Amino acid sequence: HKLLKLIRLYYPRDEETKKVAYPPPFSVKGGNYSLEFVNVFGESCDKETEKHGELICFENHSPDVKYPSYLEVGHGSPHYCTKEGKAADVNNDWCPYIFFGPNRGKYRHPHIAFSAVETYIAHEIMPGKCGVTWDDTNYPSKVDTTVAFPKMADVEEKVNVDKNSPQQPAVDDEKWTWPGPKGTKKKPVLGNFAINFYIDPEKVVEKPDDTQVADDTQVSGTAMIGLALFRVITAIAIMETLA
């Protein structure tokens, strides 16, 4: 109940249209989230700024960094697609996150935090229907929620001098092919996971009830970002309830 009131305090309805504006996380109004590294540049930055106010555009998060020559500049989203791919109307989600310049590999999913808060709120309101965890079905889940990718292709041009460019959707005769060789089947999550944002286990302290908590003076990057984003997180998590 209190959360709902807080949402409307920070995101009020327009008196005339009765609509609510939820600015994107990479905008100052939406939490000033600095780890999306969006592909919004120049003209597209200007257009988005007109809609949402001050933003963290490409020229802000990666100043003096040049795009690889084969990429479509400023097409929006945190993904970076090829010129050929965008001309063929490739889905942005099939393209890699930022992989060139000093922010290579630093993208972090803000919606993971959104989902965590949504899960918490759902359990608080409907504990008999909604569990305390996001997914307790043991991966892979019975309902396939994986995203099937199209046919992918290697990119010869290197980035950061010695770094290979990640694969991009293959385009043949101005068309892309979906699904790719792996089909639509459930896929295991393979690869390395970033752990450079964490709570230092050496700073964990014991509460009187023996519950382990982190000393609030030692909370690291992720926790600080989470606190800063709480307002927009809760807004997105329950906006359908308020519609």
Side-chain angles (χ1 to χ4, degrees), residues 21 23 29 46-53 55:
K29 292 180 180 179
D46 293 338
K47 290 182 178 179
E48 291 300 306
T49 299
E50 289 180 6
K51 293 188 292 184
H52 305 296
L55 306 174

Side-chain angles (χ1 to χ4, degrees), residues 85-164:
K86 291 310 299 178
D89 199 24
V90 157
N91 187 324
N92 289 339
D93 290 347
W94 295 333
C95 304
Y97 297 113
I98 192 164
F99 58 89
F100 56 97
N103 294 316
R104 174 187 173 98
K106 294 182 179 180
Y107 172 86
R108 298 293 181 271
H109 294 265
H111 48 274
I112 296 298
F114 299 165
S115 298
V117 174
E118 183 178 32
T119 299
Y120 169 78
I121 293 174
H123 177 69
E124 287 293 301
I125 297 175
M126 299 181 291
K129 294 183 178 180
C130 304
V132 295
T133 60
W134 187 2
D135 181 7
D136 58 3
T137 59
N138 295 322
Y139 186 87
S141 60
K142 294 179 181 178
V143 177
D144 189 358
T145 60
T146 56
V147 177
F149 268 53
K151 176 183 177 183
M152 303 293 284
D154 293 331
V155 176
E156 293 184 4
E157 183 176 330
K158 291 182 178 291
V159 294
N160 290 25
V161 181
D162 60 343
K163 301 294 185 181
N164 291 327

Side-chain angles (χ1 to χ4, degrees), residues 31-124:
N32 209 28
Y33 187 70
S34 61
L35 300 176
E36 275 198 293
F37 305 111
V38 292
N39 185 5
V40 178
F41 179 87
E43 183 178 350
S44 60
C45 179
D46 293 338
K47 290 182 178 179
E48 291 300 306
T49 299
E50 289 180 6
K51 293 188 292 184
H52 305 296
E54 187 178 350
L55 306 174
I56 305 177
C57 295
F58 185 90
E59 45 264 74
N60 304 118
H61 64 67
S62 298
D64 303 320
V65 174
K66 293 183 178 180
Y67 279 74
S69 61
Y70 63 89
L71 290 183
E72 179 73 16
V73 176
H75 65 67
S77 91
H79 298 269
Y80 290 77
C81 301
T82 64
K83 297 175 181 176
E84 187 180 35
K86 291 310 299 178
D89 199 24
V90 157
N91 187 324
N92 289 339
D93 290 347
W94 295 333
C95 304
Y97 297 113
I98 192 164
F99 58 89
F100 56 97
N103 294 316
R104 174 187 173 98
K106 294 182 179 180
Y107 172 86
R108 298 293 181 271
H109 294 265
H111 48 274
I112 296 298
F114 299 165
S115 298
V117 174
E118 183 178 32
T119 299
Y120 169 78
I121 293 174
H123 177 69
E124 287 293 301

Side-chain angles (χ1 to χ4, degrees), residues 173-242:
D173 296 326
E174 301 182 354
K175 299 177 182 179
W176 43 267
T177 302
W178 185 94
K182 294 184 178 181
T184 59
K185 64 181 181 180
K186 298 180 179 69
K187 302 177 293 297
V189 181
L190 303 176
N192 299 317
F193 294 85
I195 55 172
N196 61 312
F197 288 109
Y198 64 96
I199 295 178
D200 189 341
E202 295 183 0
K203 304 302 181 181
V204 172
V205 297
E206 298 290 335
K207 290 176 62 179
D209 61 0
D210 294 327
T211 301
Q212 288 189 333
V213 296
D215 183 339
D216 60 4
T217 63
Q218 302 296 334
V219 177
S220 66
T222 295
M224 294 299 293
I225 292 170
L227 290 173
L229 283 173
F230 182 75
R231 290 178 298 175
V232 68
I233 289 171
T234 51
I236 294 177
I238 60 175
M239 62 184 181
E240 288 189 0
T241 303
L242 300 173

